[in-house]
Amino acid sequence: MKNIIISDLYYKYDDSSFKLGPLNEQIPLHKLVLFKGHNGSGKSTLGKILANDFKPIKGTIKNLPSKVFYYNQDTSNTTFENLKVKEHLQLIDSLKEKFVFAELIPLFNKYPDELSGGEKQLLGFNTMLGMEFDLIIFDELFNHLDFAVTKKILFYLKDELLKNNKSIIIIAHNIEQYLEFFDVIFEFKDGIIYNEK
């Protein structure tokens, strides 16, 4: 099984003293991977580099899948305001097995602007399942979601997406109670990865 190979990767924001790297790491594919660390530790910056949203100042990345999707809070808010929840979910008919969270069923006749933050997050995640990707990067996916729903998502990611040869990276800072779900954990601090489990 191939790994994403990161060599001498370095990135710096123009308007900040923060810098990422240099990083030399191997990130396994077809696993549930966690980037863990406090806000400003560099985990989201690396995620955006892997998604090709940011260009590193130097360094190389090899074996990066061709279809990478980056999902964050802004993505979950990107909905068609004139479509009801049920109509959003009809967008994923192309899936071989449609998966709809039971928590969304009572909301079928609501519009996105009538949903809470957690309900929008759940709708965004469910809609994302209809997209084509090899690697998906979730940045703070579990904000506004309760313990039971978060566990349900993690079980789904492990049982369904990984079985279909998808690769998954989750970026989070407050996730201690869910660590058992992850195959590999990278811990970030001050722009470097200081621990791998």
Side-chain angles (χ1 to χ4, degrees), residues 27 31-37 43-44 47 50 70-71 125 135-143 150 153-155 157-158 161 167-175 178-179 181-182 184-186 188:
I27 301 172
K31 297 287 185 181
L32 187 54
V33 175
L34 174 64
F35 288 0
K36 178 177 176 286
K43 57 192 188 299
S44 293
L50 294 174
Y70 182 84
Y71 180 98
F125 174 78
L135 165 64
I136 189 161
I137 302 168
F138 292 108
D139 196 342
E140 301 295 352
L141 169 64
F142 307 125
N143 284 355
T150 298
I153 288 175
L154 286 166
F155 274 120
L157 293 176
K158 287 203 73 119
L161 294 190
S167 299
I168 304 162
I169 296 173
I170 290 180
I171 298 170
H173 70 279
N174 185 19
I175 198 166
Y178 308 110
L179 297 182
F181 285 92
F182 294 92
V184 181
I185 300 171
F186 294 93
F188 287 70

Side-chain angles (χ1 to χ4, degrees), residues 43-62:
K43 57 192 188 299
S44 293
T45 302
L46 180 57
K48 290 177 180 177
I49 290 172
L50 294 174
N52 207 30
D53 290 340
F54 290 173
K55 298 290 186 185
I57 293 173
K58 67 175 184 177
T60 61
I61 302 175
K62 296 180 180 178

Side-chain angles (χ1 to χ4, degrees), residues 91-192:
L91 298 174
I92 61 173
D93 276 339
S94 59
L95 287 178
K96 292 180 180 178
E97 295 183 13
K98 183 189 286 189
F99 176 81
V100 176
F101 283 92
E103 290 80 1
L104 287 173
I105 294 174
L107 309 174
F108 271 6
N109 291 316
K110 287 190 174 184
Y111 291 96
D113 62 359
E114 299 176 303
L115 304 180
S116 68
E119 290 166 347
K120 278 188 176 182
Q121 193 85 319
L122 202 54
L123 174 61
F125 174 78
N126 221 140
T127 305
M128 174 277 310
L129 298 178
M131 298 180 179
E132 290 291 329
F133 57 85
D134 300 310
L135 165 64
I136 189 161
I137 302 168
F138 292 108
D139 196 342
E140 301 295 352
L141 169 64
F142 307 125
N143 284 355
H144 311 298
L145 299 179
D146 63 28
F147 181 77
V149 173
T150 298
K151 283 187 69 174
K152 188 179 292 188
I153 288 175
L154 286 166
F155 274 120
Y156 179 80
L157 293 176
K158 287 203 73 119
D159 292 346
E160 297 298 328
L161 294 190
L162 290 180
K163 283 180 185 176
N164 293 314
N165 291 322
K166 306 297 184 184
S167 299
I168 304 162
I169 296 173
I170 290 180
I171 298 170
H173 70 279
N174 185 19
I175 198 166
E176 299 297 329
Q177 64 268 50
Y178 308 110
L179 297 182
E180 64 189 270
F181 285 92
F182 294 92
D183 300 306
V184 181
I185 300 171
F186 294 93
E187 297 192 47
F188 287 70
K189 184 178 181 181
D190 299 329
I192 64 169

